[in-house]
Short mmCIF file of all heavy atoms in Angstrom, two decimals:
data_model
loop_
_atom_site.label_atom_id
_atom_site.label_comp_id
_atom_site.label_asym_id
_atom_site.label_seq_id
_atom_site.Cartn_x
_atom_site.Cartn_y
_atom_site.Cartn_z
N PRO A 1 0.81 -1.21 -0.02
CA PRO A 1 0.01 0.02 -0.01
C PRO A 1 0.83 1.28 -0.04
O PRO A 1 0.54 2.22 -0.70
CB PRO A 1 -0.81 -0.13 1.27
CG PRO A 1 -0.92 -1.58 1.53
CD PRO A 1 0.44 -2.12 1.05
N THR A 2 1.93 1.29 0.81
CA THR A 2 2.75 2.50 0.87
C THR A 2 3.48 2.78 -0.51
O THR A 2 3.59 3.91 -0.95
CB THR A 2 3.83 2.36 1.92
OG1 THR A 2 4.49 1.13 1.79
CG2 THR A 2 3.17 2.40 3.30
N VAL A 3 3.92 1.72 -1.15
CA VAL A 3 4.56 1.82 -2.44
C VAL A 3 3.57 2.26 -3.52
O VAL A 3 3.88 3.09 -4.38
CB VAL A 3 5.22 0.46 -2.86
CG1 VAL A 3 5.74 0.53 -4.27
CG2 VAL A 3 6.34 0.14 -1.88
N LEU A 4 2.34 1.73 -3.44
CA LEU A 4 1.30 2.10 -4.44
C LEU A 4 1.03 3.61 -4.32
O LEU A 4 0.89 4.29 -5.35
CB LEU A 4 0.06 1.28 -4.17
CG LEU A 4 -1.10 1.53 -5.18
CD1 LEU A 4 -0.64 1.22 -6.65
CD2 LEU A 4 -2.26 0.65 -4.81
N ALA A 5 0.95 4.12 -3.07
CA ALA A 5 0.70 5.54 -2.86
C ALA A 5 1.79 6.37 -3.49
O ALA A 5 1.57 7.39 -4.14
CB ALA A 5 0.57 5.82 -1.39
N GLU A 6 3.06 5.91 -3.31
CA GLU A 6 4.19 6.63 -3.90
C GLU A 6 4.15 6.67 -5.43
O GLU A 6 4.40 7.68 -6.05
CB GLU A 6 5.49 5.95 -3.43
CG GLU A 6 5.82 6.15 -1.96
CD GLU A 6 7.00 5.32 -1.53
OE1 GLU A 6 7.68 4.73 -2.42
OE2 GLU A 6 7.32 5.27 -0.31
N ILE A 7 3.79 5.52 -6.03
CA ILE A 7 3.71 5.41 -7.47
C ILE A 7 2.68 6.39 -7.98
O ILE A 7 2.88 7.13 -8.98
CB ILE A 7 3.34 3.95 -7.90
CG1 ILE A 7 4.46 3.02 -7.62
CG2 ILE A 7 2.99 3.91 -9.37
CD1 ILE A 7 4.18 1.55 -7.83
N LEU A 8 1.48 6.39 -7.36
CA LEU A 8 0.41 7.26 -7.81
C LEU A 8 0.75 8.77 -7.68
O LEU A 8 0.38 9.58 -8.46
CB LEU A 8 -0.91 6.93 -7.08
CG LEU A 8 -1.47 5.54 -7.42
CD1 LEU A 8 -2.74 5.30 -6.61
CD2 LEU A 8 -1.74 5.42 -8.94
N ARG A 9 1.42 9.07 -6.58
CA ARG A 9 1.90 10.49 -6.39
C ARG A 9 2.82 10.90 -7.48
O ARG A 9 2.79 12.00 -8.05
CB ARG A 9 2.57 10.67 -5.01
CG ARG A 9 1.59 10.85 -3.88
CD ARG A 9 2.22 11.43 -2.63
NE ARG A 9 3.34 10.61 -2.16
CZ ARG A 9 3.18 9.59 -1.30
NH1 ARG A 9 1.95 9.30 -0.88
NH2 ARG A 9 4.21 8.94 -0.88
N GLU A 10 3.73 9.99 -7.88
CA GLU A 10 4.70 10.27 -8.95
C GLU A 10 3.94 10.46 -10.26
O GLU A 10 4.39 11.19 -11.16
CB GLU A 10 5.65 9.12 -9.11
CG GLU A 10 6.68 9.05 -7.95
CD GLU A 10 7.54 7.81 -8.04
OE1 GLU A 10 7.34 6.96 -8.96
OE2 GLU A 10 8.40 7.64 -7.17
N LYS A 11 2.76 9.85 -10.39
CA LYS A 11 1.96 9.98 -11.64
C LYS A 11 1.09 11.25 -11.62
O LYS A 11 0.36 11.50 -12.55
CB LYS A 11 1.11 8.72 -11.84
CG LYS A 11 1.88 7.44 -12.05
CD LYS A 11 2.66 7.45 -13.29
CE LYS A 11 3.37 6.14 -13.52
NZ LYS A 11 4.09 6.03 -14.83
N GLY A 12 1.08 11.95 -10.48
CA GLY A 12 0.35 13.21 -10.40
C GLY A 12 -0.88 13.17 -9.57
O GLY A 12 -1.56 14.21 -9.37
N PHE A 13 -1.29 11.98 -9.00
CA PHE A 13 -2.48 11.94 -8.19
C PHE A 13 -2.18 12.44 -6.77
O PHE A 13 -1.13 12.17 -6.17
CB PHE A 13 -2.93 10.50 -8.05
CG PHE A 13 -3.55 9.94 -9.32
CD1 PHE A 13 -2.78 9.21 -10.25
CD2 PHE A 13 -4.88 10.18 -9.61
CE1 PHE A 13 -3.33 8.70 -11.44
CE2 PHE A 13 -5.44 9.69 -10.82
CZ PHE A 13 -4.67 8.98 -11.70
N PRO A 14 -3.10 13.23 -6.24
CA PRO A 14 -2.92 13.81 -4.85
C PRO A 14 -3.25 12.71 -3.83
O PRO A 14 -4.24 12.85 -3.07
CB PRO A 14 -3.90 14.93 -4.82
CG PRO A 14 -5.00 14.53 -5.73
CD PRO A 14 -4.35 13.76 -6.82
N VAL A 15 -2.47 11.69 -3.75
CA VAL A 15 -2.81 10.49 -2.93
C VAL A 15 -1.85 10.39 -1.76
O VAL A 15 -0.62 10.51 -1.88
CB VAL A 15 -2.69 9.21 -3.80
CG1 VAL A 15 -2.90 7.97 -2.90
CG2 VAL A 15 -3.72 9.24 -4.89
N THR A 16 -2.42 10.15 -0.58
CA THR A 16 -1.65 9.78 0.59
C THR A 16 -1.96 8.31 0.90
O THR A 16 -2.90 7.73 0.36
CB THR A 16 -2.03 10.63 1.81
OG1 THR A 16 -3.41 10.43 2.10
CG2 THR A 16 -1.78 12.12 1.55
N ARG A 17 -1.20 7.74 1.76
CA ARG A 17 -1.43 6.33 2.18
C ARG A 17 -2.89 6.18 2.70
O ARG A 17 -3.49 5.13 2.43
CB ARG A 17 -0.42 5.93 3.25
CG ARG A 17 -0.73 4.65 3.98
CD ARG A 17 -0.65 3.43 3.10
NE ARG A 17 -1.28 2.31 3.66
CZ ARG A 17 -2.59 2.07 3.59
NH1 ARG A 17 -3.44 2.89 2.99
NH2 ARG A 17 -3.11 1.02 4.20
N GLU A 18 -3.36 7.18 3.36
CA GLU A 18 -4.72 7.11 3.97
C GLU A 18 -5.83 7.18 2.92
O GLU A 18 -7.01 6.92 3.19
CB GLU A 18 -4.90 8.27 4.97
CG GLU A 18 -4.04 8.14 6.23
CD GLU A 18 -2.57 8.39 5.96
OE1 GLU A 18 -2.33 9.17 5.01
OE2 GLU A 18 -1.71 7.86 6.69
N LYS A 19 -5.47 7.58 1.71
CA LYS A 19 -6.49 7.70 0.63
C LYS A 19 -6.59 6.37 -0.17
O LYS A 19 -7.35 6.31 -1.16
CB LYS A 19 -6.06 8.78 -0.33
CG LYS A 19 -6.33 10.18 0.16
CD LYS A 19 -7.80 10.54 0.10
CE LYS A 19 -8.08 11.98 0.40
NZ LYS A 19 -9.54 12.32 0.43
N ILE A 20 -5.88 5.31 0.22
CA ILE A 20 -5.87 4.06 -0.48
C ILE A 20 -6.42 2.95 0.43
O ILE A 20 -5.92 2.80 1.55
CB ILE A 20 -4.50 3.67 -1.00
CG1 ILE A 20 -4.03 4.65 -2.08
CG2 ILE A 20 -4.46 2.25 -1.60
CD1 ILE A 20 -2.64 4.41 -2.64
N LEU A 21 -7.41 2.22 -0.07
CA LEU A 21 -7.86 1.01 0.59
C LEU A 21 -7.54 -0.15 -0.32
O LEU A 21 -8.19 -0.27 -1.40
CB LEU A 21 -9.35 1.10 0.94
CG LEU A 21 -9.89 -0.17 1.62
CD1 LEU A 21 -9.18 -0.44 2.95
CD2 LEU A 21 -11.41 -0.05 1.88
N SER A 22 -6.66 -1.02 0.09
CA SER A 22 -6.31 -2.18 -0.68
C SER A 22 -6.51 -3.42 0.17
O SER A 22 -6.57 -3.34 1.41
CB SER A 22 -4.82 -2.14 -1.15
OG SER A 22 -3.97 -2.49 -0.10
N PRO A 23 -6.65 -4.58 -0.46
CA PRO A 23 -6.89 -5.86 0.28
C PRO A 23 -5.76 -6.21 1.22
O PRO A 23 -5.99 -7.00 2.13
CB PRO A 23 -7.09 -6.89 -0.80
CG PRO A 23 -7.49 -6.15 -2.03
CD PRO A 23 -6.75 -4.81 -1.94
N SER A 24 -4.58 -5.69 0.99
CA SER A 24 -3.42 -6.12 1.78
C SER A 24 -3.62 -5.85 3.26
O SER A 24 -3.39 -6.75 4.08
CB SER A 24 -2.13 -5.35 1.31
OG SER A 24 -1.81 -5.62 -0.02
N LEU A 25 -4.12 -4.67 3.58
CA LEU A 25 -4.26 -4.32 5.01
C LEU A 25 -5.45 -5.16 5.64
O LEU A 25 -5.30 -5.69 6.72
CB LEU A 25 -4.63 -2.87 5.17
CG LEU A 25 -3.48 -1.92 4.75
CD1 LEU A 25 -3.94 -0.46 4.82
CD2 LEU A 25 -2.27 -2.15 5.63
N LEU A 26 -6.52 -5.36 4.88
CA LEU A 26 -7.58 -6.22 5.37
C LEU A 26 -7.13 -7.66 5.48
O LEU A 26 -7.56 -8.39 6.38
CB LEU A 26 -8.78 -6.11 4.45
CG LEU A 26 -9.49 -4.74 4.40
CD1 LEU A 26 -10.59 -4.71 3.37
CD2 LEU A 26 -10.10 -4.44 5.76
N ALA A 27 -6.28 -8.11 4.58
CA ALA A 27 -5.75 -9.47 4.62
C ALA A 27 -4.99 -9.71 5.89
O ALA A 27 -5.20 -10.70 6.55
CB ALA A 27 -4.84 -9.72 3.41
N SER A 28 -4.11 -8.78 6.24
CA SER A 28 -3.30 -8.96 7.47
C SER A 28 -4.26 -9.02 8.70
O SER A 28 -4.06 -9.92 9.54
CB SER A 28 -2.33 -7.79 7.65
OG SER A 28 -1.56 -7.90 8.79
N LEU A 29 -5.18 -8.10 8.80
CA LEU A 29 -6.06 -8.07 9.95
C LEU A 29 -6.93 -9.32 10.00
O LEU A 29 -7.09 -9.99 11.09
CB LEU A 29 -7.02 -6.82 9.84
CG LEU A 29 -6.36 -5.51 10.00
CD1 LEU A 29 -7.37 -4.38 9.63
CD2 LEU A 29 -5.81 -5.30 11.34
N PHE A 30 -7.45 -9.81 8.89
CA PHE A 30 -8.29 -11.00 8.82
C PHE A 30 -7.53 -12.25 9.17
O PHE A 30 -8.00 -13.08 9.98
CB PHE A 30 -8.94 -11.10 7.42
CG PHE A 30 -10.14 -11.98 7.41
CD1 PHE A 30 -11.42 -11.45 7.55
CD2 PHE A 30 -10.03 -13.37 7.20
CE1 PHE A 30 -12.52 -12.25 7.53
CE2 PHE A 30 -11.13 -14.15 7.19
CZ PHE A 30 -12.37 -13.62 7.36
N LEU A 31 -6.35 -12.42 8.58
CA LEU A 31 -5.60 -13.64 8.85
C LEU A 31 -5.14 -13.71 10.33
O LEU A 31 -5.17 -14.84 10.92
CB LEU A 31 -4.32 -13.65 7.94
CG LEU A 31 -4.54 -13.82 6.42
CD1 LEU A 31 -3.30 -13.65 5.68
CD2 LEU A 31 -5.18 -15.15 6.15
N LYS A 32 -4.80 -12.59 10.89
CA LYS A 32 -4.39 -12.61 12.32
C LYS A 32 -5.63 -12.95 13.16
O LYS A 32 -5.49 -13.73 14.13
CB LYS A 32 -3.83 -11.25 12.68
CG LYS A 32 -2.44 -11.00 12.15
CD LYS A 32 -1.92 -9.66 12.49
CE LYS A 32 -0.53 -9.42 11.90
NZ LYS A 32 0.01 -8.06 12.14
N ARG A 33 -6.72 -12.43 12.82
CA ARG A 33 -7.96 -12.73 13.57
C ARG A 33 -8.35 -14.22 13.45
O ARG A 33 -8.88 -14.83 14.40
CB ARG A 33 -9.12 -11.91 13.05
CG ARG A 33 -10.36 -11.87 13.91
CD ARG A 33 -11.39 -10.90 13.38
NE ARG A 33 -11.92 -11.34 12.15
CZ ARG A 33 -12.61 -10.55 11.28
NH1 ARG A 33 -12.71 -9.24 11.56
NH2 ARG A 33 -13.10 -10.96 10.18
N GLU A 34 -7.99 -14.86 12.31
CA GLU A 34 -8.26 -16.26 12.09
C GLU A 34 -7.19 -17.17 12.71
O GLU A 34 -7.28 -18.40 12.61
CB GLU A 34 -8.38 -16.54 10.60
CG GLU A 34 -9.61 -15.92 9.94
CD GLU A 34 -10.89 -16.63 10.31
OE1 GLU A 34 -10.99 -17.84 10.07
OE2 GLU A 34 -11.77 -15.99 10.85
N GLY A 35 -6.19 -16.62 13.29
CA GLY A 35 -5.11 -17.38 13.96
C GLY A 35 -4.13 -17.97 12.98
O GLY A 35 -3.37 -18.91 13.33
#
């Protein structure tokens, strides 16, 4: 997610890390919850 935000900023999009929702973060939370 952090790298994706950097790529999009370089392309001109006014994007911060907080402006991106990707499955990666949800994946980590969900997998940990599932043990």
Side-chain angles (χ1 to χ4, degrees):
T2 50
V3 172
L4 183 58
E6 290 172 7
I7 292 171
L8 293 178
R9 278 198 300 275
E10 289 173 0
K11 297 293 184 178
F13 288 95
V15 175
T16 61
R17 167 65 197 85
E18 293 71 29
K19 284 284 189 182
I20 294 180
L21 179 60
S22 78
S24 298
L25 296 176
L26 292 173
S28 178
L29 293 171
F30 197 93
L31 292 172
K32 287 176 180 177
R33 193 174 67 198
E34 291 288 303

